[in-house]
Amino acid sequence: MTRPELGVCYYPEHWPEDLWADDARRMAEAGLNWVRIGEFAWTRMEPEPGKLDFGWLDRAIDTLGQAGLKVVLGTPTATPPRWMLERHPDMLAHDRQGRPRGFGSRRHYCFSHEGYREECRRIATLLGERYGRNEHVHAWQIDNEYGCHDTAISYSPAALRAFRDWLARKYQSPQALNRAWGNVFWSMDYDSFDQIGLPNLTVTEPNPAHVMDFRRFSSDQVAAFNRVQVDALRPLTDRPLLHNYMGTGPTHTDFDHFDVGADLDIATWDSYPLGFLVDRVSDRDEAFRLDFARQGDPDFQAFHHDLYRAVGRGRWWIIEQQPGPVNWAPWNPAPLPGMVRLWTWEAIAHGAEAVCYFRWRQAPFAQEQQHAGLLRPDSADAPALAEARTVAEEIAQLGEVRPALGHAALLFDYQAAWAIETQPQGSDFSYWTLTLAAYSALRRAGLSVDILHPSEDLSNHAMVLAPGLVFMDDALKARLAAHEGPVIVGPRAASRTPDFAIPVPLPPALPGLDAQVARLESLMPGLDLPLEGGGHVHRWLEEIEGDAERVIETTDGRPVLMRAGGLHYLAGWPDVAGWDRVVDHGAAEAGLETLALPEGLRFRDTETHRFAFNYAPRPVQWDGQVIQAAGVAWWEKPSV
Amino acid sequence: MTRPELGVCYYPEHWPEDLWADDARRMAEAGLNWVRIGEFAWTRMEPEPGKLDFGWLDRAIDTLGQAGLKVVLGTPTATPPRWMLERHPDMLAHDRQGRPRGFGSRRHYCFSHEGYREECRRIATLLGERYGRNEHVHAWQIDNEYGCHDTAISYSPAALRAFRDWLARKYQSPQALNRAWGNVFWSMDYDSFDQIGLPNLTVTEPNPAHVMDFRRFSSDQVAAFNRVQVDALRPLTDRPLLHNYMGTGPTHTDFDHFDVGADLDIATWDSYPLGFLVDRVSDRDEAFRLDFARQGDPDFQAFHHDLYRAVGRGRWWIIEQQPGPVNWAPWNPAPLPGMVRLWTWEAIAHGAEAVCYFRWRQAPFAQEQQHAGLLRPDSADAPALAEARTVAEEIAQLGEVRPALGHAALLFDYQAAWAIETQPQGSDFSYWTLTLAAYSALRRAGLSVDILHPSEDLSNHAMVLAPGLVFMDDALKARLAAHEGPVIVGPRAASRTPDFAIPVPLPPALPGLDAQVARLESLMPGLDLPLEGGGHVHRWLEEIEGDAERVIETTDGRPVLMRAGGLHYLAGWPDVAGWDRVVDHGAAEAGLETLALPEGLRFRDTETHRFAFNYAPRPVQWDGQVIQAAGVAWWEKPSV
Amino acid sequence: MTRPELGVCYYPEHWPEDLWADDARRMAEAGLNWVRIGEFAWTRMEPEPGKLDFGWLDRAIDTLGQAGLKVVLGTPTATPPRWMLERHPDMLAHDRQGRPRGFGSRRHYCFSHEGYREECRRIATLLGERYGRNEHVHAWQIDNEYGCHDTAISYSPAALRAFRDWLARKYQSPQALNRAWGNVFWSMDYDSFDQIGLPNLTVTEPNPAHVMDFRRFSSDQVAAFNRVQVDALRPLTDRPLLHNYMGTGPTHTDFDHFDVGADLDIATWDSYPLGFLVDRVSDRDEAFRLDFARQGDPDFQAFHHDLYRAVGRGRWWIIEQQPGPVNWAPWNPAPLPGMVRLWTWEAIAHGAEAVCYFRWRQAPFAQEQQHAGLLRPDSADAPALAEARTVAEEIAQLGEVRPALGHAALLFDYQAAWAIETQPQGSDFSYWTLTLAAYSALRRAGLSVDILHPSEDLSNHAMVLAPGLVFMDDALKARLAAHEGPVIVGPRAASRTPDFAIPVPLPPALPGLDAQVARLESLMPGLDLPLEGGGHVHRWLEEIEGDAERVIETTDGRPVLMRAGGLHYLAGWPDVAGWDRVVDHGAAEAGLETLALPEGLRFRDTETHRFAFNYAPRPVQWDGQVIQAAGVAWWEKPSV
């Protein structure tokens, strides 16, 4: 592990030029190494079509670079200027109601619009030509937060044209598509690809195969859009390319981040723990949310660190770290003192190469004026600046931190999220909530986790969890069955073919495991079933046929966790206590020691250190040591 | 009573032809007599406009018939093919927001579109010509689930044209319409019928008389649409014609089923007890719903049996019976073992000629892939098949069951539902919920009920309940006043003229009953008023003037139930305990014995038997006998 | 104070002409002095374009006047006839979704439509010419309930054109606008005013400066629309002009009532205490709402009396007083006996010149048929008529009532409401709810309040409260700092510049008060902070830097109320107990005696009397006297 670095997001175009040098000096003095700029500045780079103005950007980069900062330069394609609409009046995305999503904020473009893609290629090329070899520009960010504001999916005429082409390429004939989708069901057959519409504004739910293909198409369009700029920049720079992904949750799984990530060098993400706690659905109750209102969910951040480490094939950053109250959640409390330091260290413990705060100075104007920065609008230090400085000092003092593999692997597949959103069967079933629930249980047991795409090599992990993996091919099943340690798949495992049909033989059809889902039920809140030995299943329970050994049952004798050797099938959605039992069983099988961590305490192990993070709003004790609220602790491991 | 029969819904077009014969054999072997086919198969009957393919249907009917099954053949008009839109681009219904409701699922047509009506006449005629005298086709279903997915009401240009014509026929002059609607109120007068719009997208609520006429028009359009196919088929077949109605609830009272039923021979309905429990608003609380989550509301099914028996003028079926978990409710639990048998027997006890399960084999593809069938997707028996087989055997063993009139009559009028939806006055006032509450109280007292249209002869019923009958003409009032037994009308009885105005003298203006509604109030949740002697009124209470005898009062002395001889007026909405008191009073007056049934136990009496159904998820005792959860019992009555 | 008068709203066009004389006689006999007519009768005044019919109106005015009634004549511009749409097809307002808001109810016009403004000038001129000097017409109402049904804001093409012009006038150049709005933020710069859209249907939130200007523009359009008729009528009549404003709450603060009021002579408002209790958001819980379900919030009415007294520069009426259950709230209970008298007396105690009931006879047809009147639909007396008669008699017996200034002043600024709606930061932060909470606390302490525009002279009030005043210029700050008694401003005081940016130095920047908002947080329900000494802050808390004296702190030492001499800053949103402490402190500083009134009891002092109103549904005791539920009492003050 190279020494982790800190940074900040900065908008020189927002401030008088005579402030820049002092800003740069203060950044460097606080121990920051990186500064991200440019990603919303198209009208400053190109005030009129074709009339370029890079002078200010030259000077900004130079000023920052002279202060010792490394620049991440963003392409400004998330904020096309108003004049762009004169050139491409049909470039807007359309919402699910069929309405154009207009100018006046940001991300007002459809990923499928060829004309706008061409404009993006043009501006990326211009930037690459000018700054690709600039000594201060050490990385490039393409666009900003794909999918934010529910923009990954568009119902525009441009999307319709592209979707028909995508289907034609995939199926070659409408008859093949009709067969794959089962359009015979309600006489939904098409005679030509030009008859196919987008799956919105239908009388009742459209064919889920139709929806699923549209989701795949929409995700492909994001990757293709991104690739345009990658292809423009690659010949012009040797610096790494990155994109800033978002915190997972409703609509933020709308494209396959692994696909986009495959074209980039580093995965970065934007971490807003307090906003996400209010805004995102987790499996926890209101009392829990209040207890963590000023700290964030104790597992949400780590989940994403581990997910985006996979998306970045090991290389990842936080490029936007919440430094104080934000403006966009329904309520926006302030973090407990110490939390900015905690969040930063937690990222580092999970392997972040850099953590950058968003933003330098709080903007007093426009949409985000209540979004805290490291400086206040009056340029005084905001509380987070001191915490950042502390981290910078601590990094300098800390010895080498060598990363280690996690104890357990958790598989994550964006297609599974789309499948479950397409056909949830129970209105509170969310793939993302389910995987977070599994992840949290692993963390409560003190385990370090790696999140992996199902196609990854799993052989280095003692235990593998794969909840909700709707699509599993035979090769994956075979790999899981052959895994040495315990593997726990389900519920809903392998429950759909690639064409979105129930497979026969019935799921999960795992090699050697005599268990099939005879039928299933979704359970409304309150219709929980107690487990023999403690905990419950809620939300979901499958009725299993087969003689596989039963590990956990409901009190009325329905199997919930079954096994054949190391291969386990989980037939329901456990509650918190239930998940703890599932994880305890798996860990015992894997020979992993589990811990009973106090509420809010979390660990991350590296090869050299054990890091501890206290998310609770009160001190906790561990191993005789008191860790304060929002406190961080680490212990060096004896070298092996 | 002819011996009741069982059946199933089957989609030969969904399966390889080489499965058909074995499917048919297994159906017959399970004791099924009927098989419904064809209602979604337009693209298989007519793959291109005018290019007909009935070969597969000939073979399917023959295969099924050869196995001893009687075929119900459906017209496929609920699923117009995609090519139909090329011929009639303006055939789509429009939603309340004014948007066309597009292709991609089903029911994408406007009932008012003349071009599509002509296409329906054409396909019905073709089917009638080919199969009208087919020896295996024993009944015809026209279209499928009118009104499903909120389709009875359309705001399309076709609907607008037809509505103006309908109004012109009804009122003859705009001035007459202005007077009838009271358009002077806000200067809403029209100078010509062509100025009248549909009552959507107005600034605030439109004139309720406008809405009410639009509701009547929309219902008339459904009946007229249905009549087109009736008229096409009648000359070509002697077999009964039927339609499959839906479970009542929001939007499912949008057309007058009595009007459609008048043109048909048998009323059938689609009974999904678990989906309806979650999906439909009843007067019961969340704890009740959880207790009955796997059984369904103990009165919802019987209510519809009795309602559709009236719609079918005595002849009725269940044509789609839920056989396991479904896919479309917010949550979809599985029925308790035994419930499929219970539901089937309850229908039989209420006089069903046939009960058909939906569907034969669970479809692994398209919209309803999580909708259970009698077979699983892998063709193994699903649990319901054994229960159906049991019923078939029990039917064979049971002696003759002769139907009997119910003890009490409950009046039901679709126009009352529209009136209350048009002007609820309290946001939780639903006509349907109110009538179900009254019906349930009768059932809790062990009484068998007949639901009747207000125009029906009531003289054979010892007691008549008529809650919420907004429209009552003088003839109806006179008939009720002249009824020999107790009659309980109200609340909201006779509260509007046919033109949707408050009548003067004030309601209810019942002959001989000195009680008028001086004013009324709707009561938010929590603003209940206790009744002297037990129970409460909630949701609604009228302030009554008049000297009629008081039977039930609130504790602060407001009359709730008043009477003059047998004619009673109910001035509020009683809660469960309150309804029990109302029914107890009426039954005592009628000389009807009432029972105190345990929670979840329900009876239905025929001339020959008393049937008992235990909806509770626990055993109940009755008359020394234990009836298991989901259990059915019957006792022969001593012959008179 | 002239003797207060009573009146009623009457629609002669709704009733046969032969009823008019008897209606007029009964009005006069009941003690009513005023009758408002005409405001919805455009189709009766002008059945066809240009074809006028004032004969009926002549006779109606004459009949009413002959009975001794004074007429308020309304201009009918809230209900343009259907034929108006033939002349001005584009006159409709558009909703936030971009859809035209159609004909079929009322208020179907856009305030920005020049053609419709011209029609309004025409009809107002015609009415003024005919009735401007009529001996019976003693006042004029222009239009009806501006903004009702969310109509103050329109997203129509007419509004777009006018908004661009408004912006061009304000900013002169797009560059100036770009700078003022901070459009650099997300490259939102405009090159021309013609590129600027309305701030709806954007991808995410538009620039709040864009929204704020649109709110100001929309308010200006209401005032300009009103001024057209004022200008038409002024030369034709000497009688006072008025408009009927509405109860404040969501959407009813959408235009600046002070601006409209500046052009008129009397402010009147429409008081529906029960409907508002259900329909409007206050700071009180469900139990409170149930307790006051038949009486209304004990402070809502008085708040509006005091607000509209300011809008009318001292002259104000209630022109529509709820007389019984209404039709438009989600639930519509009946008032407790006595409440109509109480509401009337409370208005009088607050200085109303007249209180008119809405309406005379309950209409049996059209939209409001369940809206009670003084008569029932059958012309019998409704309960409110006797209460009105009682008030008329009491007025006649009561000696002179001379008004007095209130003890405390509360500042109210519509622009603050728009600013907070534009950027609430916490989803339950409402300016109106906050000011009502402050007002209620003053009332619970027995204080009489004057509500004032911030520009008013404050020197006559011992104490001034100014919660939520987002915009404060230096002059206002100086005036408040110079005030002799205690002044309590905040939270959110002076938190935005006129261009909607955070000011630097940071807010509140009050002269002499060393306190600035270093950061702030919005608090979700449950995240309350207890105050040292009792009460809590909830919803909102600012983090204050500075050495100002602390009056109230949270238990963990955060300042909530700070002071420098008489100038106080309130840094959070107190709950009920917290507000009581804030008011107690201020009153003590001001030397005002506070009372501990029982729940539901409220006082209003005049120079001559103390009036007491018992809103509680139970008797209360005060000073040895029992005041019944819904009771009113008054005591003469010893003359000074």
Side-chain angles (χ1 to χ4, degrees), chain A residues 97 187 189 195 201 204-205 207 425 427-428 496 501-502 521-522 545, chain B residues 40 42-43 82 99 102 294 326 330-332 334 364 367 369-370 376:
Chain A
Q97 312 306 318
S187 279
D189 309 80
Q195 290 177 330
L201 297 175
T204 182
E205 53 168 336
N207 192 323
Q425 183 70 9
S427 65
D428 55 3
R496 289 296 179 278
I502 299 174
E521 46 180 5
S522 53
E545 269 181 14
Chain B
F40 297 132
W42 198 328
T43 57
R82 180 61 181 78
R99 297 169 306 199
R294 298 175 186 286
V326 296
W331 287 275
N332 297 289
Q367 275 90 337
Q369 51 194 272
Q370 285 303 147
R376 305 191 320 203

Short mmCIF file of all heavy atoms in Angstrom, two decimals, chain A residues 97 187 189 195 201 204-205 207 425 427-428 496 501-502 521-522 545, chain B residues 40 42-43 82 99 102 294 326 330-332 334 364 367 369-370 376:
data_model
loop_
_atom_site.label_atom_id
_atom_site.label_comp_id
_atom_site.label_asym_id
_atom_site.label_seq_id
_atom_site.Cartn_x
_atom_site.Cartn_y
_atom_site.Cartn_z
N GLN A 97 -42.74 9.45 -17.06
CA GLN A 97 -44.03 9.96 -17.52
C GLN A 97 -43.96 10.46 -18.95
O GLN A 97 -44.96 10.97 -19.48
CB GLN A 97 -44.49 11.12 -16.62
CG GLN A 97 -44.39 10.85 -15.15
CD GLN A 97 -45.10 9.58 -14.74
OE1 GLN A 97 -46.20 9.32 -15.23
NE2 GLN A 97 -44.48 8.79 -13.90
N SER A 187 -50.69 -12.06 -26.01
CA SER A 187 -50.72 -11.60 -27.40
C SER A 187 -49.88 -10.34 -27.60
O SER A 187 -50.27 -9.42 -28.30
CB SER A 187 -52.16 -11.34 -27.87
OG SER A 187 -52.78 -12.54 -28.25
N ASP A 189 -47.00 -10.16 -29.03
CA ASP A 189 -45.99 -10.38 -30.07
C ASP A 189 -45.79 -9.16 -30.96
O ASP A 189 -46.72 -8.41 -31.24
CB ASP A 189 -46.43 -11.55 -30.97
CG ASP A 189 -46.81 -12.76 -30.17
OD1 ASP A 189 -47.96 -12.78 -29.64
OD2 ASP A 189 -46.00 -13.67 -30.04
N GLN A 195 -41.92 -1.77 -33.85
CA GLN A 195 -43.17 -1.71 -33.08
C GLN A 195 -42.92 -1.69 -31.58
O GLN A 195 -43.84 -1.46 -30.79
CB GLN A 195 -44.05 -2.92 -33.40
CG GLN A 195 -44.65 -2.92 -34.79
CD GLN A 195 -45.44 -4.19 -35.05
OE1 GLN A 195 -45.12 -5.25 -34.50
NE2 GLN A 195 -46.45 -4.08 -35.87
N LEU A 201 -45.64 3.69 -19.19
CA LEU A 201 -46.99 4.11 -19.57
C LEU A 201 -47.82 3.00 -20.21
O LEU A 201 -48.69 3.26 -21.03
CB LEU A 201 -46.92 5.34 -20.50
CG LEU A 201 -46.30 6.60 -19.86
CD1 LEU A 201 -46.16 7.71 -20.88
CD2 LEU A 201 -47.13 7.06 -18.67
N THR A 204 -50.95 -2.00 -17.57
CA THR A 204 -50.49 -2.60 -16.32
C THR A 204 -49.04 -2.96 -16.53
O THR A 204 -48.43 -2.51 -17.50
CB THR A 204 -51.37 -3.78 -15.87
OG1 THR A 204 -50.90 -4.27 -14.61
CG2 THR A 204 -51.39 -4.88 -16.91
N GLU A 205 -48.45 -3.72 -15.61
CA GLU A 205 -47.02 -3.96 -15.73
C GLU A 205 -46.66 -4.57 -17.08
O GLU A 205 -47.33 -5.46 -17.57
CB GLU A 205 -46.52 -4.89 -14.62
CG GLU A 205 -47.31 -6.16 -14.52
CD GLU A 205 -46.66 -7.21 -13.62
OE1 GLU A 205 -45.45 -7.18 -13.41
OE2 GLU A 205 -47.40 -8.08 -13.15
N ASN A 207 -44.23 -6.71 -19.73
CA ASN A 207 -43.51 -7.97 -19.63
C ASN A 207 -42.17 -7.74 -18.91
O ASN A 207 -41.38 -6.88 -19.30
CB ASN A 207 -43.26 -8.51 -21.05
CG ASN A 207 -42.79 -9.94 -21.03
OD1 ASN A 207 -42.03 -10.35 -20.15
ND2 ASN A 207 -43.25 -10.71 -22.01
N GLN A 425 -42.13 -9.05 -6.12
CA GLN A 425 -43.03 -10.05 -5.52
C GLN A 425 -43.45 -9.66 -4.11
O GLN A 425 -44.57 -9.94 -3.70
CB GLN A 425 -42.39 -11.46 -5.55
CG GLN A 425 -43.26 -12.58 -5.02
CD GLN A 425 -44.44 -12.91 -5.95
OE1 GLN A 425 -44.53 -12.42 -7.06
NE2 GLN A 425 -45.36 -13.71 -5.46
N SER A 427 -43.38 -6.05 -1.74
CA SER A 427 -43.08 -4.66 -2.06
C SER A 427 -41.92 -4.09 -1.26
O SER A 427 -41.46 -3.00 -1.56
CB SER A 427 -44.31 -3.78 -1.91
OG SER A 427 -44.70 -3.73 -0.58
N ASP A 428 -41.44 -4.78 -0.24
CA ASP A 428 -40.28 -4.28 0.49
C ASP A 428 -39.03 -5.12 0.23
O ASP A 428 -38.09 -5.10 1.01
CB ASP A 428 -40.56 -4.19 1.99
CG ASP A 428 -41.02 -5.50 2.58
OD1 ASP A 428 -41.08 -6.51 1.84
OD2 ASP A 428 -41.33 -5.53 3.77
N ARG A 496 -34.02 -17.07 -12.03
CA ARG A 496 -34.44 -16.68 -13.37
C ARG A 496 -33.38 -17.09 -14.38
O ARG A 496 -32.18 -17.04 -14.10
CB ARG A 496 -34.66 -15.17 -13.47
CG ARG A 496 -35.88 -14.64 -12.74
CD ARG A 496 -37.19 -15.17 -13.32
NE ARG A 496 -38.35 -14.68 -12.59
CZ ARG A 496 -38.81 -15.19 -11.44
NH1 ARG A 496 -38.23 -16.23 -10.88
NH2 ARG A 496 -39.88 -14.68 -10.88
N ALA A 501 -37.07 -15.92 -17.12
CA ALA A 501 -38.11 -16.93 -16.91
C ALA A 501 -37.69 -17.81 -15.74
O ALA A 501 -36.50 -17.89 -15.39
CB ALA A 501 -38.31 -17.78 -18.16
N ILE A 502 -38.66 -18.46 -15.11
CA ILE A 502 -38.35 -19.42 -14.06
C ILE A 502 -37.71 -20.65 -14.71
O ILE A 502 -38.30 -21.23 -15.63
CB ILE A 502 -39.62 -19.83 -13.29
CG1 ILE A 502 -40.25 -18.59 -12.63
CG2 ILE A 502 -39.32 -20.92 -12.27
CD1 ILE A 502 -41.59 -18.87 -11.98
N GLU A 521 -43.21 -17.35 -0.77
CA GLU A 521 -44.15 -16.32 -0.37
C GLU A 521 -43.41 -15.08 0.11
O GLU A 521 -42.35 -15.17 0.71
CB GLU A 521 -45.11 -16.84 0.72
CG GLU A 521 -44.48 -17.60 1.84
CD GLU A 521 -45.51 -18.07 2.87
OE1 GLU A 521 -46.72 -17.88 2.65
OE2 GLU A 521 -45.09 -18.58 3.92
N SER A 522 -44.01 -13.93 -0.19
CA SER A 522 -43.54 -12.68 0.39
C SER A 522 -44.43 -12.36 1.58
O SER A 522 -45.63 -12.66 1.57
CB SER A 522 -43.57 -11.56 -0.65
OG SER A 522 -44.84 -11.45 -1.25
N GLU A 545 -38.40 -28.22 -1.09
CA GLU A 545 -38.50 -29.67 -1.17
C GLU A 545 -37.10 -30.27 -1.29
O GLU A 545 -36.26 -29.70 -2.00
CB GLU A 545 -39.28 -30.08 -2.42
CG GLU A 545 -40.75 -30.22 -2.20
CD GLU A 545 -41.45 -30.65 -3.47
OE1 GLU A 545 -40.76 -31.08 -4.42
OE2 GLU A 545 -42.68 -30.53 -3.50
N PHE B 40 -56.68 -14.98 -24.33
CA PHE B 40 -55.58 -14.03 -24.58
C PHE B 40 -54.82 -14.35 -25.87
O PHE B 40 -53.70 -13.89 -26.07
CB PHE B 40 -54.58 -14.05 -23.41
CG PHE B 40 -55.17 -13.60 -22.09
CD1 PHE B 40 -54.96 -14.35 -20.93
CD2 PHE B 40 -55.93 -12.45 -22.00
CE1 PHE B 40 -55.49 -13.95 -19.73
CE2 PHE B 40 -56.47 -12.04 -20.80
CZ PHE B 40 -56.25 -12.79 -19.65
N TRP B 42 -55.20 -13.84 -29.23
CA TRP B 42 -55.54 -13.23 -30.52
C TRP B 42 -54.39 -13.37 -31.52
O TRP B 42 -54.60 -13.68 -32.70
CB TRP B 42 -55.93 -11.77 -30.33
CG TRP B 42 -56.70 -11.18 -31.48
CD1 TRP B 42 -56.59 -11.47 -32.81
CD2 TRP B 42 -57.73 -10.19 -31.38
NE1 TRP B 42 -57.46 -10.73 -33.54
CE2 TRP B 42 -58.17 -9.92 -32.70
CE3 TRP B 42 -58.31 -9.48 -30.34
CZ2 TRP B 42 -59.19 -8.99 -32.97
CZ3 TRP B 42 -59.30 -8.54 -30.62
CH2 TRP B 42 -59.74 -8.32 -31.92
N THR B 43 -53.14 -13.13 -31.09
CA THR B 43 -52.04 -13.22 -32.06
C THR B 43 -51.84 -14.64 -32.58
O THR B 43 -51.22 -14.82 -33.63
CB THR B 43 -50.69 -12.72 -31.51
OG1 THR B 43 -50.36 -13.45 -30.33
CG2 THR B 43 -50.73 -11.24 -31.21
N ARG B 82 -50.51 -6.18 -31.48
CA ARG B 82 -49.80 -4.94 -31.78
C ARG B 82 -50.19 -4.37 -33.14
O ARG B 82 -50.26 -3.15 -33.30
CB ARG B 82 -48.28 -5.21 -31.72
CG ARG B 82 -47.39 -4.02 -32.01
CD ARG B 82 -47.60 -2.89 -31.03
NE ARG B 82 -46.77 -1.72 -31.32
CZ ARG B 82 -47.03 -0.82 -32.25
NH1 ARG B 82 -48.09 -0.96 -33.02
NH2 ARG B 82 -46.24 0.20 -32.43
N ARG B 99 -52.95 10.95 -20.62
CA ARG B 99 -51.94 10.24 -21.40
C ARG B 99 -52.50 8.95 -21.97
O ARG B 99 -53.20 8.21 -21.27
CB ARG B 99 -50.74 9.90 -20.52
CG ARG B 99 -50.02 11.11 -19.98
CD ARG B 99 -49.03 10.71 -18.93
NE ARG B 99 -49.69 9.90 -17.89
CZ ARG B 99 -49.19 9.71 -16.68
NH1 ARG B 99 -48.03 10.22 -16.35
NH2 ARG B 99 -49.84 8.98 -15.81
N GLY B 102 -50.47 2.78 -23.12
CA GLY B 102 -49.86 2.15 -24.28
C GLY B 102 -49.86 0.64 -24.33
O GLY B 102 -50.24 -0.06 -23.38
N ARG B 294 -53.30 -15.58 5.49
CA ARG B 294 -53.19 -16.79 4.66
C ARG B 294 -54.55 -17.42 4.38
O ARG B 294 -54.61 -18.54 3.85
CB ARG B 294 -52.31 -17.82 5.38
CG ARG B 294 -50.87 -17.34 5.62
CD ARG B 294 -50.09 -18.35 6.43
NE ARG B 294 -48.77 -17.85 6.76
CZ ARG B 294 -47.75 -17.75 5.89
NH1 ARG B 294 -47.92 -18.13 4.66
NH2 ARG B 294 -46.60 -17.26 6.28
N VAL B 326 -50.16 -15.58 -5.28
CA VAL B 326 -50.24 -14.89 -6.55
C VAL B 326 -49.08 -13.90 -6.66
O VAL B 326 -48.19 -13.87 -5.80
CB VAL B 326 -51.61 -14.20 -6.73
CG1 VAL B 326 -52.71 -15.24 -6.78
CG2 VAL B 326 -51.85 -13.15 -5.66
N PRO B 330 -49.31 -6.41 -3.04
CA PRO B 330 -48.05 -5.88 -2.48
C PRO B 330 -47.24 -6.95 -1.76
O PRO B 330 -46.01 -6.95 -1.84
CB PRO B 330 -48.54 -4.80 -1.50
CG PRO B 330 -49.89 -4.39 -2.01
CD PRO B 330 -50.49 -5.62 -2.63
N TRP B 331 -47.91 -7.86 -1.07
CA TRP B 331 -47.26 -9.05 -0.55
C TRP B 331 -48.12 -10.24 -0.89
O TRP B 331 -49.36 -10.15 -0.93
CB TRP B 331 -47.08 -8.97 0.97
CG TRP B 331 -46.01 -8.01 1.36
CD1 TRP B 331 -44.68 -8.26 1.44
CD2 TRP B 331 -46.17 -6.63 1.70
NE1 TRP B 331 -44.01 -7.12 1.81
CE2 TRP B 331 -44.89 -6.11 1.99
CE3 TRP B 331 -47.28 -5.78 1.81
CZ2 TRP B 331 -44.69 -4.78 2.37
CZ3 TRP B 331 -47.08 -4.47 2.18
CH2 TRP B 331 -45.80 -3.98 2.46
N ASN B 332 -47.48 -11.37 -1.08
CA ASN B 332 -48.18 -12.54 -1.59
C ASN B 332 -47.85 -13.79 -0.80
O ASN B 332 -47.03 -14.60 -1.21
CB ASN B 332 -47.84 -12.72 -3.07
CG ASN B 332 -48.31 -11.55 -3.91
OD1 ASN B 332 -49.51 -11.39 -4.12
ND2 ASN B 332 -47.38 -10.73 -4.36
N ALA B 334 -48.67 -17.51 1.06
CA ALA B 334 -49.29 -18.75 0.59
C ALA B 334 -50.51 -19.07 1.46
O ALA B 334 -50.51 -18.79 2.65
CB ALA B 334 -48.29 -19.89 0.65
N PRO B 364 -43.88 -19.97 -16.50
CA PRO B 364 -42.54 -19.56 -16.07
C PRO B 364 -42.09 -18.26 -16.73
O PRO B 364 -41.00 -17.79 -16.43
CB PRO B 364 -41.66 -20.72 -16.52
CG PRO B 364 -42.36 -21.31 -17.68
CD PRO B 364 -43.83 -21.07 -17.49
N GLN B 367 -45.67 -11.86 -17.45
CA GLN B 367 -46.06 -11.05 -16.30
C GLN B 367 -46.42 -11.84 -15.04
O GLN B 367 -46.28 -11.34 -13.93
CB GLN B 367 -47.27 -10.17 -16.66
CG GLN B 367 -46.90 -8.85 -17.33
CD GLN B 367 -46.82 -8.95 -18.85
OE1 GLN B 367 -46.61 -10.05 -19.40
NE2 GLN B 367 -46.96 -7.83 -19.52
N GLN B 369 -45.45 -14.86 -13.78
CA GLN B 369 -44.68 -16.08 -13.53
C GLN B 369 -44.65 -16.48 -12.07
O GLN B 369 -44.34 -17.63 -11.76
CB GLN B 369 -43.29 -16.01 -14.15
CG GLN B 369 -42.51 -14.79 -13.82
CD GLN B 369 -41.28 -14.65 -14.75
OE1 GLN B 369 -40.23 -15.17 -14.45
NE2 GLN B 369 -41.43 -13.97 -15.85
N GLN B 370 -44.99 -15.58 -11.17
CA GLN B 370 -45.09 -16.01 -9.77
C GLN B 370 -46.54 -16.25 -9.35
O GLN B 370 -46.83 -16.28 -8.17
CB GLN B 370 -44.43 -14.96 -8.86
CG GLN B 370 -42.92 -14.99 -8.88
CD GLN B 370 -42.29 -16.32 -8.53
OE1 GLN B 370 -41.24 -16.68 -9.03
NE2 GLN B 370 -42.95 -17.10 -7.66
N ARG B 376 -46.96 -26.94 -10.92
CA ARG B 376 -45.80 -26.04 -10.86
C ARG B 376 -45.23 -25.84 -12.28
O ARG B 376 -45.63 -26.55 -13.22
CB ARG B 376 -44.73 -26.65 -9.96
CG ARG B 376 -45.25 -26.98 -8.58
CD ARG B 376 -44.18 -27.34 -7.59
NE ARG B 376 -43.12 -28.17 -8.11
CZ ARG B 376 -42.34 -28.95 -7.37
NH1 ARG B 376 -42.55 -29.02 -6.03
NH2 ARG B 376 -41.38 -29.64 -7.91
#
